[in-house]
Amino acid sequence: MSSDEQPRQAIETVFRMESPRVIAGVARIVRDVGIAEELAQDALVAALEQWPEQGVPDNPGAWLMTAAKHRAIDLVRRRERYARKLAEVGRDLESAPPHTDEPADPDDIDDDLLRLVFTACHPVLSAEARVALTLRLLGGLTTAEIARAMLAPEPTVAQRIVRAKRTLATKGVAFEVPYGPDREDRLGSVLEVIYLIFNEGYAATAGDDWLRPALCEDALRLARVLAGLMPKESEVHGLAALLELQASRSAARTGPAGEPVLLADQSRGRWNRMLIRRGYAALAQAQAAAAGAGALGPYALQAAIAACHAHAHTYEETDWQQIAALYGLLAARTPSPVVELNRAVAVSRAEGPEAGLALVDALGAEPALEGYHLLPSVRGDLLARLGRSAEARAEFERAASLARNAREREMLLARAADC
């Protein structure tokens, strides 16, 4: 790395860490996340010009925030269509304390971040647009990085982000945290986006790599930030707990060549104990927050299932009865064919492969699972355990033909060959 590249990379790293807060703070002024992002980028350019000569300020986040807010105020003043906002900002400026390198009230910053999360994940946007915009605004990823993460062409992702910001503006989506009846629905959308990002990193739907650790890290960071912002929401802690516990297994989920390693074959010595402890703590917070509501939500229930796996020292010691019972609660709370398929796996371990196979066969005509490679994969596993090798081989081959991820396809073909 050249001497010129080192400060540039350092500045970009700082910007990636601080940009969500800067965008959120500026968005509160201009009420437009697209413009806020542009102003934050302008502040980055200023940092690239000034910091190499003047040195990195003691509080680079406050420096970027101040630079971006000054640009926001200049923009508001220049544009006639922001005339009304000019008056508001002008009044704010007159009453604002003199500039200091100390950040603004942390509570204000947290409120701004929370508004940005809910705005980027607004239900008026498609799931793909919400994911792309969240990764851009809150993850600090470039368009090229998001394109690689989503396995989509860069121009497609760029257009997706542009349209998302335009939709938020034309729909008049308020830069605010909803309250009352709207809050649960909007919070559900926020959690879903973070979960989608994590799942794509944890088991990629397509491509040559089964894991994308950077996506998992981004989702985990977002979940932690959200848990800090909303300490009384059980499902927020439930999601954080689920991601901590699942992420703890990441290092053991692939072999030396990047091939998938199934749960039963994983070396539990490679599970990250620090993440497991964090997961336990977050789950306890979810349970405490849910105490008044009387029942755990779907993310907290999934976290409880993940905790059962974490407690077991070996695969054979796993409390499958407890896991099957938790899947039963989850199926009652949020019925879905995928949950039912997972419950079938747990039941097969608790009661035997015949019991699991009966549940899987009942899902055979489920339209939502048509083309879902894990249905024949699970069925193949159960048939293999029953000694029905020819049928198991056919199911593994069918699963491989449906899998879009190259690593997973290779594993399924290998399992077919072993039958």
Side-chain angles (χ1 to χ4, degrees):
M1 186 184 300
S2 71
S3 58
D4 292 338
E5 290 174 335
Q6 288 179 338
R8 181 185 181 89
Q9 285 201 356
I11 293 169
E12 289 178 349
T13 299
V14 169
F15 182 75
R16 185 160 173 163
M17 293 169 59
E18 299 292 343
S19 63
R21 294 177 184 275
V22 175
I23 293 170
V26 175
R28 180 158 56 88
I29 297 174
V30 299
R31 299 282 165 179
D32 185 308
V33 293
I35 293 174
E37 187 192 7
E38 291 174 8
L39 294 170
Q41 291 287 341
D42 287 347
L44 171 63
V45 172
L48 289 169
E49 292 172 347
Q50 297 179 35
W51 291 4
E53 294 183 0
Q54 301 174 3
V56 177
D58 293 338
N59 191 330
W63 192 99
L64 288 167
M65 181 73 82
T66 300
K69 282 188 172 180
H70 282 172
R71 282 160 177 74
I73 293 164
D74 288 343
L75 178 67
V76 170
R77 282 174 169 161
R78 282 199 309 269
R79 294 186 177 179
E80 185 177 356
R81 64 193 177 91
Y82 288 133
R84 182 173 57 81
K85 292 179 181 177
L86 171 63
E88 296 172 0
V89 174
R91 285 194 295 273
D92 291 345
L93 276 176
E94 291 174 359
S95 60
H99 166 63
T100 171
D101 276 348
E102 292 300 318
D105 186 335
D107 289 339
D108 288 344
I109 292 176
D110 287 351
D111 287 347
D112 289 343
L113 266 180
L114 202 54
R115 292 187 188 97
L116 186 61
V117 172
F118 275 90
T119 302
C121 298
H122 197 284
V124 298
L125 305 176
S126 68
E128 293 84 0
R130 277 180 265 158
V131 169
L133 195 59
T134 301
L135 287 174
R136 178 62 167 267
L137 298 182
L138 291 150
L141 273 64
T142 65
T143 303
E145 289 171 330
I146 298 170
R148 283 199 297 273
M150 301 181 73
L151 299 178
E154 192 171 333
T156 299
V157 170
Q159 282 300 312
R160 195 173 286 166
I161 293 172
V162 168
R163 283 197 296 268
K165 290 187 284 193
R166 188 184 302 147
T167 298
L168 292 176
T170 56
K171 295 286 186 182
V173 172
F175 185 66
E176 64 182 12
V177 178
Y179 291 94
D182 293 338
R183 182 157 178 163
E184 186 172 349
D185 290 342
R186 293 278 297 279
L187 179 58
S189 173
V190 170
L191 300 181
E192 179 188 19
V193 166
I194 296 174
Y195 193 43
L196 284 173
I197 293 171
F198 183 87
N199 275 348
E200 187 55 34
Y202 199 61
T205 53
D208 295 329
D209 297 320
W210 197 39
L211 297 184
R212 297 198 179 90
L215 273 183
C216 290
E217 291 167 8
D218 284 330
L220 194 53
R221 184 172 58 81
L222 291 173
R224 289 169 179 167
V225 168
L226 197 60
L229 296 173
M230 306 182 75
K232 297 181 180 178
E233 293 287 349
S234 173
E235 277 293 82
V236 173
H237 292 295
L239 177 66
L242 175 60
L243 302 196
E244 299 276 11
L245 290 166
Q246 288 190 320
S248 73
R249 303 180 212 150
S250 294
R253 297 188 74 238
T254 53
E259 71 277 15
V261 178
L262 298 178
L263 180 63
D265 302 323
Q266 289 174 14
S267 168
R268 299 191 177 213
R270 299 185 67 195
W271 288 8
N272 187 315
R273 306 310 300 181
M274 183 191 72
L275 292 180
I276 288 175
R277 287 193 294 274
R278 291 182 63 94
Y280 289 160
L283 179 57
Q285 288 182 287
Q287 291 166 332
L296 293 179
Y299 291 112
L301 284 171
Q302 292 178 77
I305 292 168
C308 286
H309 289 295
H311 280 301
H313 295 295
T314 65
Y315 184 76
E316 290 71 23
E317 292 180 15
T318 306
D319 187 349
W320 290 108
Q321 293 282 359
Q322 176 67 9
I323 292 175
L326 288 168
Y327 269 120
L329 293 174
L330 183 61
R333 183 71 186 263
T334 54
S336 89
V338 173
V339 170
E340 195 62 18
L341 184 61
N342 288 330
R343 189 172 78 86
V345 174
V347 168
S348 78
R349 291 293 172 184
E351 303 175 16
E354 296 92 345
L357 187 60
L359 294 174
V360 170
D361 285 346
L363 295 169
E366 176 58 56
L369 296 182
E370 185 178 357
Y372 187 52
H373 69 288
L374 291 182
L375 178 63
S377 174
V378 169
R379 194 165 190 275
D381 182 70
L382 296 175
L383 289 168
R385 288 167 57 194
L386 288 168
R388 294 160 62 175
S389 300
E391 295 171 86
R393 185 184 312 115
E395 289 290 41
F396 283 131
E397 289 173 347
R398 188 161 75 92
S401 71
L402 296 172
R404 295 167 54 200
N405 183 281
R407 293 292 188 179
E408 201 166 17
R409 187 164 51 248
E410 291 168 1
M411 178 191 68
L412 290 165
L413 289 174
R415 296 200 71 187
D418 289 340
C419 291

